Amino acid sequence: MHPAFSVIFFTTASGAGYGLITLMSILQASGILPPDPRVGWAGFGIGFTLITLGLLSSTFHLGHPERAWRAISQWRSSWLSREGLAAIVTYVPTGAYAIGWIFLDWRDDLFILTGMVGAMLCMQTVYCTAMIYASLKTIRAWANSWTVICYFSISIFTGALLMNAIASVFGYWHPAMFWITTGAIAVAGVAKMQYWRFIDRNPSESTAETATGLKGHIRLLESPHTQENYLQKEMGYKIARKHASKLRQLTIAAGFVAPILLITLANASIPATAAALSILAVPVAAIGVLIERWLFFAEAKHVVTLYYGETTA
Amino acid sequence: MTSLPETPTTKKLGLVIDLDICVGCHACAVNCKEWNSGGHSAPLTDFDPYGADPTGVWFNRIHTFEATDDVGNSRTVHFPRSCLHCEDAPCVTVCPTGASYKREEDGIVLVNADTCIGCKLCSWACPYGAREYDHDDGVMKKCTLCVDKIYNENLDEESRVPACVSTCPAGARHFGDLGDPESDVSKLVEARDGFELMPEQECKPTNRYLPPRPRKTAAGSTGAPSALEPQVDGGDSPFLRWVDKVLSR
Ligand code: SF4
Ligand code: SF4
């Protein structure tokens, strides 16, 4: 599938933002992260910026962005619609929670409950994003449960890295954060490797034979058109295996191994160095995750390619 | 409304395409383009049509495949590909706006160009590559089964079929109600073992394809003797017997 930057940015940025707000709510409720307004400014500021820019970027590739509001109408059947609706609904409790945290010194049980509802909706939105892809039977690399597990775990781990950095900067670093962050990175790394293992071994049930109903070895003798059409440009994107395997290694190195090393080092350093290392882990992981998401699209093969010379999909 | 009709439509208008007969002339694709350039989804934008890199929106594409069996016998099959107006159309259920819909009255799958936001998700959901995006209009387009032709009372009765069907010079395309087991198309599918494309994608396509008839590989089945019989020397004509004798000397 064609790796469009708008969608890569949308899924990674909003995922990190939702992960961050989820963890802030949980850690605040469990007393690990004090609701200091400065932490609120930084955390919700970064979180909402990532989410909002991500959502806006997802509308850039639309043919009619001015009609985007229509997209929330078909939540009964469409995961894209559910995603849009969930994203909008999520702003309500998370927004109230952020205002309570930063401006109102709101600290009662209802505050905590609002945070928890917001956290659940954040994860619900990430789930809907993942399901947009996981529900497409035409793309075997997406239509499997590893897709959802990867979206969840990457959202949480990128959010955890952000939270870790913010807490270190404001002097609220807590050992639990180290364990949550390393745990989240490890889970995401393992999930991603399992995902790759799965897609390498499980091609689509559809083949050139089922696509054409013809028997034997099927070869495209003549394409219907001389130039690439929309289908080939959108769905025929192909990445060489050797490039893909290099990029997978880069994802593991920058996305998972380097951040774990950096925050482990931070764990053993004096606070100023620790904060610097925790901050550094964020852009390093971002590079890894952007490559990961680029690969998620570039490696995905659509069954329509079976009509254009592929024998398996 | 993006949800599919609650009960499967009883009328299922669709095409039956005979892979044994199609000669790959692309006439159906051309007439499709011509009719639809002025129809329900008009225009079907072309980019750089006379230049070096022409592309554009077409609802019908004709592929040519070669199928080779284990012993190396191959055959060339021309393969028209267009929307199959699926019963469980995933292109309809993924649509976030309700622009894609399936008509309850005849099962035709259409796009409302006034509400489509051009998110392209439906083209990802369709296994058959039946949807093509119009970059100029910013909306998705697809085969309408010539909805503006088949019910058009200004046309003669025999012209009220999709443009591809009326134009096919080989008679490889048939149009009718595949929901009615007594219809001509249903009987044709029955008689010729018509099949669905990619049944494993579970879209329950309406259109059916008729397989190429088994090829006659043995010489005998063409009607000619499989080997020449030795001729009786000259038979009973004295002249021919003499010729035979001279020539065999
Ligand atoms: S062929 Fe594709 S576009 Fe047509 S109804 Fe089926 S899924 Fe939808
Ligand atoms: S491109 Fe248009 S018709 Fe297709 S899913 Fe998006 S809004 Fe619906």
Side-chain angles (χ1 to χ4, degrees):
Chain A
M1 299 294 291
H2 172 69
F5 183 74
S6 57
V7 200
I8 294 174
F9 179 74
F10 154 58
T11 55
T12 51
S14 67
Y18 286 125
L20 171 60
I21 293 180
T22 302
L23 287 169
M24 282 176 66
S25 314
I26 295 173
L27 294 186
Q28 188 276 321
S30 44
I32 294 172
L33 185 67
D36 179 333
R38 291 175 307 153
V39 173
W41 272 113
F44 292 109
I46 293 172
F48 284 125
T49 306
L50 285 172
I51 292 167
T52 310
L53 287 181
L55 292 172
L56 285 178
S57 123
S58 75
T59 64
F60 291 163
H61 80 286
L62 298 180
H64 281 280
E66 79 286 0
R67 297 180 186 165
W69 59 272
R70 290 185 184 276
I72 56 171
S73 64
Q74 303 301 315
W75 50 271
R76 277 185 219 83
S77 71
S78 164
W79 281 105
L80 178 53
S81 198
R82 287 173 197 157
E83 200 270 343
L85 200 61
I88 292 168
V89 171
T90 304
Y91 276 111
V92 179
T94 52
Y97 182 66
I99 292 169
W101 179 313
I102 299 171
F103 300 109
L104 306 179
D105 202 22
W106 184 24
R107 300 291 179 261
D108 60 9
D109 287 350
L110 188 62
F111 173 68
I112 290 176
L113 185 70
T114 310
M116 287 296 107
V117 170
M120 267 160 51
L121 283 170
C122 285
M123 285 299 105
Q124 179 67 45
T125 310
V126 171
Y127 179 67
C128 292
T129 309
M131 284 308 291
I132 297 174
Y133 304 101
S135 65
L136 294 174
K137 210 169 186 297
T138 45
I139 301 157
R140 186 64 178 118
W142 294 354
N144 61 76
S145 39
W146 289 109
T147 298
V148 177
I149 296 171
C150 287
Y151 268 77
F152 266 135
S153 58
I154 292 173
S155 160
I156 291 289
F157 112 70
T158 47
L161 274 178
L162 285 168
M163 185 204 60
N164 199 51
I166 294 167
S168 306
V169 168
F170 292 103
Y172 291 124
W173 187 82
H174 186 285
M177 292 180 190
F178 170 73
W179 292 113
I180 290 172
T181 312
T182 38
I185 300 174
V187 170
V190 170
K192 197 66 217 183
M193 285 194 270
Q194 288 300 320
Y195 168 87
W196 283 324
R197 208 179 121 91
F198 178 87
I199 65 167
D200 288 346
R201 281 151 210 243
N202 292 279
S204 170
E205 273 177 85
S206 299
T207 61
E209 278 189 304
T210 68
T212 60
L214 303 173
K215 301 280 169 289
H217 176 71
I218 314 297
R219 181 166 82 95
L220 180 67
L221 203 59
E222 218 177 338
S223 172
H225 32 85
T226 53
Q227 309 309 116
E228 280 203 335
N229 68 349
Y230 162 74
L231 297 171
Q232 287 168 293
K233 286 179 189 147
E234 183 78 3
M235 279 158 287
Y237 192 91
K238 231 167 125 180
I239 170 171
R241 233 195 161 67
K242 65 173 196 286
H243 294 156
S245 77
K246 281 221 184 77
L247 289 172
R248 284 182 184 186
Q249 286 164 9
L250 205 57
T251 302
I252 294 173
F256 307 111
V257 177
I260 288 205
L261 289 178
L262 286 169
I263 63 161
T264 309
L265 265 180
N267 197 19
S269 313
I270 54 159
T273 331
L277 289 170
S278 305
I279 293 174
L280 180 63
V282 173
V284 172
I287 294 171
V289 171
L290 286 172
I291 300 172
E292 178 274 329
R293 208 53 51 90
W294 187 88
L295 276 175
F296 178 73
F297 288 92
E299 288 192 293
K301 201 166 169 191
H302 193 287
V303 292
V304 78
T305 55
L306 298 171
Y307 292 110
Y308 284 95
E310 296 291 320
T311 46
T312 55
Chain B
M1 188 44 190
T2 272
S3 298
L4 292 163
E6 274 171 17
T7 46
T9 61
T10 39
K11 196 165 175 189
K12 294 177 186 161
L13 294 186
L15 300 172
V16 175
I17 297 172
D18 194 336
L19 297 179
D20 193 62
I21 291 181
C22 176
V23 292
C25 69
H26 294 240
C28 52
V30 174
N31 200 29
C32 167
K33 180 91 174 180
E34 131 76 27
W35 175 268
N36 285 294
S37 295
H40 176 276
S41 302
L44 269 58
T45 314
D46 282 323
F47 294 91
D48 196 16
Y50 305 106
D53 189 19
T55 54
V57 182
W58 292 69
F59 296 162
N60 192 0
R61 301 282 193 180
I62 322 304
H63 300 243
T64 301
F65 294 104
E66 182 185 63
T68 310
D69 68 13
D70 292 342
V71 284
N73 285 322
S74 71
R75 66 186 301 160
T76 302
V77 180
H78 303 291
F79 188 96
R81 179 177 60 78
S82 58
C83 175
L84 300 112
H85 298 279
C86 306
E87 190 175 317
D88 283 345
C91 58
V92 170
T93 52
V94 298
C95 177
T97 62
S100 274
Y101 61 104
K102 185 169 176 71
R103 288 162 43 118
E104 287 195 16
E105 60 269 43
D106 51 18
I108 297 180
V109 174
L110 293 175
V111 180
N112 180 350
D114 294 332
T115 52
C116 171
I117 56 173
C119 70
K120 310 189 186 106
L121 193 59
C122 53
S123 66
W124 294 6
C126 169
Y128 308 106
R131 294 181 162 239
E132 296 200 11
Y133 181 68
D134 189 327
H135 288 275
D136 204 42
D137 265 1
V139 296
M140 195 55 75
K141 300 194 172 173
K142 67 175 291 298
C143 158
T144 65
L145 207 63
C146 288
V147 68
D148 40 15
K149 189 169 185 278
I150 56 177
Y151 295 116
N152 192 333
E153 288 176 2
N154 298 317
L155 300 174
D156 310 334
E157 181 86 47
E158 64 269 27
S159 295
R160 289 182 219 156
V161 293
C164 55
V165 175
S166 41
T167 208
C168 179
R173 307 179 70 102
H174 306 268
F175 165 69
D177 181 5
L178 286 142
D180 171 9
E182 292 309 309
S183 68
D184 289 349
V185 278
S186 297
K187 285 185 193 152
L188 185 61
V189 169
E190 180 70 33
R192 291 277 308 283
D193 290 327
F195 60 88
E196 279 179 27
L197 303 183
M198 292 197 263
E200 69 283 358
Q201 290 284 334
E202 293 168 343
C203 305
K204 300 201 198 136
T206 299
N207 289 8
R208 290 286 185 275
Y209 284 74
L210 305 181
R213 291 184 171 87
R215 197 167 62 180
K216 292 161 180 164
T217 43
S221 57
T222 62
S226 52
L228 294 178
E229 293 291 326
Q231 287 293 305
V232 182
D233 304 341
D236 39 12
S237 147
F239 173 71
L240 288 180
R241 263 206 309 273
W242 176 77
V243 171
D244 183 58
K245 216 157 130 192
V246 172
L247 292 179
S248 323
R249 207 173 270 158

